[in-house]
Amino acid sequence: MTVPLPVDLARPVHEVAPELLGCELVHVKGGRRTAGRIVEVEAYGGQARDDCSHAHRYKTARNRTMYGPPGRLYIYFTYGMHYCSNVVAHAAGEAGAILLRALEPTAGLDLMARRRGVADPRLLCAGPARLVKAMGFGRTDDGRRLDAGHLHLVAGPAPRRIVTGPRVGVKGHDAGRPWRFCDADSGYLSRPVG
DNA sequence: CGAACGATGTTCT
DNA sequence: GAACATCGTTCGG
């Protein structure tokens, strides 16, 4: 069973990123469903376009998913203990991915709370590594298709207002670019914007 | 509150 | 050998 993607991901990553806001990410694992509405993302380009991106230089064992077909999950390990998740998106012949930084939990909050070890709904998915843990993702989910019955995106109400700002925790010449996109009215962001 | 810091190991130089 | 798209805790004002 396949589920159509609600957004055309085969386009420049900076155009796609704000359109992911409002979409719901659904993951069914072990017969249990968790889901959340995307409220905060960051766009990461490829090659010379973005020197903050994992794909800035060339293809490696870690970033190869960013060079693959759009519509897959790109998951990487960082800081010795955390995973972060992205949606692969780029125009033909490019590389790129959209980092998922925060979700508003919509389903399976009890399971998320157990995975995370906290109960406050506002803290379950407020951060890229937090939402990975809450959704039950791991290293082996890198490269998975996002149009499957057990892992897919659902169209949702677009944000009333979108706020942009510099991406969190990056250095480089492109660090100041406003490629972080947030639902301005969400109470589930990883941190204040602007 | 906010700033500082340690955890912990993979990836890249 | 340094850097790291982070998080939770601790410390200071």
Side-chain angles (χ1 to χ4, degrees), chain A residues 21-67:
Chain A
L21 296 177
C23 292
E24 188 180 37
L25 177 65
V26 179
H27 186 214
V28 181
K29 183 180 183 182
R32 296 287 320 264
R33 167 189 300 250
T34 50
R37 182 174 172 273
I38 299 171
V39 296
E40 176 181 347
V41 298
E42 287 175 358
Y44 287 87
Q47 309 290 39
R49 297 178 180 282
D50 182 359
D51 73 351
C52 303
S53 170
H54 288 169
H56 171 54
R57 285 185 177 264
Y58 44 77
K59 192 194 291 191
T60 67
R62 175 178 67 167
N63 68 21
R64 65 191 162 83
T65 302
M66 290 183 71
Y67 290 78

Side-chain angles (χ1 to χ4, degrees), chain A residues 100-121:
Chain A
L100 302 175
R101 286 200 55 91
L103 309 175
E104 173 185 336
T106 55
L109 274 71
D110 54 339
L111 179 54
M112 288 184 179
R114 209 177 321 145
R115 287 170 173 162
R116 286 269 295 115
V118 300
D120 186 345

Side-chain angles (χ1 to χ4, degrees), chain A residues 3 7 11 22 24 28 37 46 49 55 58 71 80 86 89 94 96 104 120 126 134 141 155 165 167-168 174 187 191:
Chain A
V3 181
V7 177
R11 297 152 48 215
E24 188 180 37
V28 181
R37 182 174 172 273
R49 297 178 180 282
Y58 44 77
N86 301 247
E94 302 276 328
E104 173 185 336
D120 186 345
D141 293 309
R167 293 169 295 181
V168 176
D174 296 307
R191 63 176 70 186

Side-chain angles (χ1 to χ4, degrees), chain A residues 123-153:
Chain A
L123 297 179
L124 290 177
C125 299
R130 287 170 170 176
L131 74 87
V132 159
K133 193 166 184 185
M135 293 293 287
F137 294 144
R139 156 163 277 162
T140 58
D141 293 309
D142 178 49
R144 282 183 69 189
R145 299 175 60 107
L146 279 165
D147 62 355
H150 284 178
L151 178 61
H152 60 268
L153 293 166

Side-chain angles (χ1 to χ4, degrees), chain A residues 3-12 15-24 38 70-71 87-89 98 153-156:
Chain A
V3 181
L5 292 163
V7 177
D8 178 11
L9 301 175
R11 297 152 48 215
E15 296 180 15
V16 177
E19 297 184 16
L20 279 186
L21 296 177
C23 292
E24 188 180 37
I38 299 171
V87 172
V88 175
I98 298 161
L153 293 166
V154 179

